[in-house]
Amino acid sequence: TGTNNDALWVFVKYYHPDDTEWRHATMSIAGTNPTGFGAPSGLVDVIVPKDKKGFFLQRSEANAGGGTVNLSDLSGDNQYVTFTWDYGHDSDALVAAGGTAIDVANAALDFKIFAIEMVYIPEGSFVAMGPGTTTTANSPSAVGGQGFLYNNQSGTKTYTEWWPVDNENAITVYGNALDTPKGYYDISDGPYTIPATFPKGYNPFYLMKYEISQGQYRDFLNNLDSAQAENRCSASASANYCAFATNQATVSNRGGVYRTSSGYGCDLNDNGTPDETTDGEWVAMNFLDSNDLAAFLDWAALRPMTELEFEKAARGPDQTSGDIYVWGTTSLEATTTLADAGTSSELPNQGNLNYTSCSPAGPFRVGSYADAASTRTAAGAGYYGNMNLGGNVVEMAVDVTASDNRLFEGSNGDGVLTSSGYANNPDWPGYSDGAVTTGSQFFRGSSHSLAATSAYVYAHPTYFDLPAGRNTLLGGRGSRTSPTILMTQ
């Protein structure tokens, strides 16, 4: 099994009474436990990345080990985590954009502090893509694998089923394995080159431990102005759900994010009263399209993961070939009922993958197959502890085959969206005229209404014949480049 290195990504939004929107707060200084930041000594570290858009809170090296770090058990000031906001920087930026300076002395500012659980994926080699076939240079597996390694040196043809990823250097991918020398191949989409700047998963990164939940997406919508929020949810009037169509009046496939007269809530039990204990805020968010996912990640100062990073998180350094699920084995069991449905303790009666043979139809509570005693297989977890990489909702990840997607350099979001509610990172897929509005459909993982084989580690986007736009199958999670990489750039 892998090493589970949990962390929290913490970011702050503030609201000035003279302003019209919530804005992203900039931290005062970068570094590990820098001046102005505090945490219980010896237990946790505060790590502020170079862009200062938030900070990681994680177990310190001196406190390495398993179990829970419960800060509330401490006494006095030692139980608190403190940070310093660079309001001068944010005020100057606001004035430069035509806004009003931040008056911290005489104005009653409101703050919202958000924390997203992450898993640290360490630097290291792994294998990805595939499988091809060991006997012929024809098309890859029907399950959707696309790449394989081929050696035609000295007239001896040797096929192996995986791309080795041993660094972040550029990768030349060939399209025809019949006459070319040793190298990487993609019979379906080659030839192409994956640039050195494209994140391949060798360098360390953080990845959300769970898929975006319905509660997290509700909070995101409530932090936007009305024009932005309306582009991030299909409900254009109150008493309707964020789902397939405009103004859907009933819950579909357990999609419970609901528009009220004053904002957004969760109403999975469909009784018109949002945010009750059975309203499913812990259920994975479905009905997202790629623009919705990109906007959430930009707002949270995260970024999309790539499909190579997805495979690294699922497989780890395991060199095993064959048809294995994202938890590293072929063991599979379906769920037939849920206990305490819609609550924070929603629990499948059995199983380790939410796929088409499961009931009820729709995503389950994120991480619901895992408990303190479960094995990786029983939890359906990736090598490093990321939950639900297969099942629940299809993961959207930046693939290597589309030329526009290969321009992705892994820039992190800055917490700021366009006035229409779109992400605006120029290197992200779908960027055009100042906004990410035409994102590609790039899928990994599986979902509650796909066959279990789509949860194979290598299952490729071309396997999924999904319609464009919002769909019950679609959700996602975000990543962030490790500060140890950013600090040296």
Side-chain angles (χ1 to χ4, degrees):
T1 59
T3 301
N4 187 348
N5 294 305
D6 278 8
L8 287 177
W9 170 244
V10 182
F11 58 99
V12 181
K13 303 288 183 176
Y14 68 91
Y15 185 85
H16 191 286
D18 295 331
D19 204 350
T20 58
E21 62 183 276
W22 288 89
R23 299 186 183 274
H24 198 94
T26 303
M27 300 296 103
S28 61
I29 190 172
T32 300
N33 300 321
T35 302
F37 292 76
S41 177
L43 292 181
V44 295
D45 287 332
V46 176
I47 303 173
V48 185
K50 185 178 179 180
D51 62 6
K52 300 182 288 187
K53 295 302 180 182
F55 58 88
F56 288 102
L57 186 64
Q58 63 188 53
R59 202 176 192 122
S60 67
E61 289 290 335
N63 189 37
T68 300
V69 178
N70 193 343
L71 304 186
S72 64
D73 288 343
L74 303 176
S75 60
D77 291 342
N78 195 43
Q79 66 181 297
Y80 300 115
V81 174
T82 58
F83 64 89
T84 305
W85 172 37
D86 189 351
Y87 62 83
H89 173 277
D90 288 343
S91 181
D92 291 345
L94 193 57
V95 170
T100 303
I102 301 172
D103 182 0
V104 296
N106 301 303
L109 277 70
D110 290 324
F111 295 89
K112 292 181 180 179
I113 301 176
F114 298 89
I116 297 177
E117 194 166 359
M118 311 288 285
V119 172
Y120 176 73
I121 313 296
E123 177 185 290
S125 300
F126 66 105
V127 295
M129 310 306 281
T133 167
T134 58
T135 59
T136 176
N138 293 329
S139 61
S141 165
V143 180
Q146 73 175 45
F148 58 91
L149 195 67
Y150 173 79
N151 187 347
N152 192 25
Q153 292 179 329
S154 303
T156 302
K157 297 180 180 181
T158 305
Y159 300 86
T160 58
E161 296 191 349
W162 312 103
W163 284 4
V165 181
D166 297 321
N167 52 56
E168 291 284 346
N169 296 340
I171 297 175
T172 298
V173 180
Y174 300 99
N176 186 341
L178 296 178
D179 336 278
T180 45
K182 181 179 180 180
Y184 296 78
Y185 292 89
D186 178 352
I187 297 298
S188 299
D189 297 292
Y192 52 82
T193 298
I194 306 173
T197 51
F198 184 91
K200 300 170 190 65
Y202 177 83
N203 281 341
F205 62 99
Y206 288 84
L207 182 65
M208 286 176 62
K209 184 169 185 176
Y210 307 108
E211 294 153 328
I212 297 167
S213 71
Q214 295 184 19
Q216 287 175 321
Y217 201 76
R218 169 205 60 198
D219 295 343
F220 161 64
L221 292 173
N222 285 330
N223 203 242
L224 307 180
D225 65 32
S226 58
Q228 293 173 319
E230 286 192 0
N231 281 326
R232 302 280 63 86
C233 170
S234 61
S236 61
S238 62
N240 289 281
Y241 290 87
C242 299
F244 288 109
T246 300
N247 295 337
Q248 182 167 308
T250 58
V251 171
S252 176
N253 295 110
R254 308 197 81 213
V257 175
Y258 178 82
R259 183 166 181 175
T260 71
S261 59
S262 59
Y264 297 84
C266 294
D267 189 29
L268 181 62
N269 62 23
D270 206 5
N271 67 358
T273 302
D275 301 327
E276 298 173 307
T277 56
T278 56
D279 274 330
E281 65 176 275
W282 303 271
V283 172
M285 182 65 192
N286 52 349
F287 295 108
L288 298 182
D289 65 18
S290 58
N291 297 327
D292 298 330
L293 177 62
F296 179 92
L297 299 181
D298 192 3
W299 169 83
L302 298 173
R303 65 165 175 84
M305 65 177 169
T306 70
E307 62 171 332
L308 293 174
E309 289 175 326
F310 173 90
E311 291 212 25
K312 171 72 171 287
R315 190 188 303 279
D318 183 9
Q319 303 292 312
T320 302
S321 62
D323 295 341
I324 58 171
Y325 295 110
V326 292
W327 50 86
T329 71
T330 58
S331 298
L332 176 69
E333 186 177 29
T335 297
T336 57
T337 61
L338 293 175
D340 299 321
T343 71
S344 61
S345 57
E346 178 175 285
L347 186 66
N349 68 322
Q350 61 185 36
N352 60 350
L353 177 71
N354 181 9
Y355 66 108
T356 190
S357 296
C358 294
S359 181
F364 300 163
R365 175 177 64 86
V366 296
S368 57
Y369 288 119
D371 60 34
S374 59
T375 63
R376 177 185 169 191
T377 295
Y383 183 86
Y384 300 99
N386 301 89
M387 302 297 173
N388 304 117
L389 289 171
N392 254 0
V393 289
V394 168
E395 307 272 351
M396 289 185 273
V398 185
D399 84 302
V400 300
T401 62
S403 58
D404 288 348
N405 289 357
R406 293 195 297 272
L407 300 176
F408 180 59
E409 297 183 355
S411 70
N412 296 309
D414 62 0
V416 181
L417 303 181
T418 70
S419 60
S420 298
Y422 289 90
N424 53 14
N425 287 54
D427 65 309
W428 288 16
Y431 180 84
S432 177
D433 296 327
V436 177
T437 59
T438 57
S440 302
Q441 299 289 334
F442 30 88
F443 310 130
R444 277 304 186 107
S446 181
S447 103
H448 61 85
S449 59
L450 288 177
T453 50
S454 59
Y456 288 156
V457 175
Y458 56 73
H460 182 255
T462 55
Y463 175 62
F464 304 116
D465 184 17
L466 301 179
R470 296 184 176 108
N471 187 284
T472 178
L473 281 66
L474 300 182
R477 75 182 80 208
S479 62
R480 204 172 213 277
T481 303
S482 170
T484 57
I485 298 297
L486 294 177
M487 296 291 187
T488 60
Q489 291 181 343

